[in-house]
Amino acid sequence: MALLTRAEVEDFLYHEAALLDEWKTMEWAELFTEDGEYLVPPTDLPDADKNAALFIINDDHHRLVQRAKRLTRRTAHVEFPHSKVRHTIHNVRILEQDEAGLTVASNQIVYRAKRQNLDTFVCHTIHQLARTADGLRIRSKRVMLDIDGLRPHGMISAIL
């Protein structure tokens, strides 16, 4: 199997970002493998072990699908109506790649506008991507926030 180029990987990451910006959260969840996970470690321990530390978000596949469903409903009051969200992705690097998949690092900035407030989340992201018959799928998405705390933001209600 041919190795993927950075441009092909960037296209995948841009597609994921577009789904999140358009609040197509169920389509976003479908990008994950059945054993996929979505992680946001504590801001002071970006390399923390998910089994040993309290994470801001520690979703297995079931939980990330439930998160995606909840955000489509009116009962998700904090996100209804939806915030205006824009993901920008930079400095994409393929760290490892083999027949089974690849590890990709990137920087991203997520802008969230809601109720006359603009929150900015500066993040470093590691994707573990799997090659499947349906194309690339996310086995793991780990988003490390480059902020000292969530005090100015108060919460993370949108998917980073």
Side-chain angles (χ1 to χ4, degrees):
M1 185 174 286
L3 297 179
L4 293 172
T5 66
R6 188 183 71 218
E8 291 169 317
V9 172
E10 286 174 339
D11 284 346
F12 179 81
L13 296 179
Y14 296 159
H15 173 65
E16 180 197 11
L19 292 176
L20 293 173
D21 291 347
E22 296 167 14
W23 287 93
K24 295 179 178 177
T25 57
M26 290 308 297
E27 291 179 46
W28 171 77
E30 292 170 5
L31 292 178
F32 284 80
T33 59
E34 288 299 316
D35 62 347
E37 62 183 9
Y38 170 52
L39 306 169
V40 180
T43 57
D44 59 338
L45 297 170
D47 299 322
D49 177 352
K50 69 177 183 177
N51 298 312
L54 181 60
F55 273 45
I56 297 169
I57 297 172
N58 185 352
D59 287 353
D60 60 12
H61 187 265
H62 174 75
R63 288 179 55 105
L64 72 89
V65 169
Q66 294 307 309
R67 179 182 304 276
K69 283 182 184 174
R70 184 171 33 84
L71 288 171
T72 64
R73 298 183 181 143
R74 287 178 156 267
T75 54
H77 300 291
V78 72
E79 284 302 337
F80 198 86
H82 294 310
S83 303
K84 294 177 182 171
V85 179
R86 288 290 171 257
H87 291 72
T88 61
I89 298 171
H90 315 274
N91 301 359
V92 175
R93 294 180 296 135
I94 298 173
L95 302 178
E96 296 178 18
Q97 182 168 192
D98 61 24
E99 294 290 319
L102 56 162
T103 302
V104 177
S106 64
N107 294 334
Q108 72 176 17
I109 300 173
V110 181
Y111 300 98
R112 174 182 174 266
K114 179 91 174 179
R115 297 186 185 107
Q116 301 180 3
N117 291 315
L118 177 65
D119 296 319
T120 304
F121 296 93
V122 179
C123 315
H124 177 67
T125 304
I126 300 290
H127 281 82
Q128 301 284 335
L129 303 176
R131 296 174 191 252
T132 73
D134 298 325
L136 284 178
R137 292 292 178 261
I138 302 168
R139 180 168 288 130
S140 176
K141 178 177 182 179
R142 184 180 182 111
V143 181
M144 284 79 62
L145 292 163
D146 290 331
I147 53 179
D148 293 334
L150 291 175
R151 170 68 66 193
H153 308 80
M155 63 184 161
I156 302 173
S157 54
I159 297 172
L160 299 175

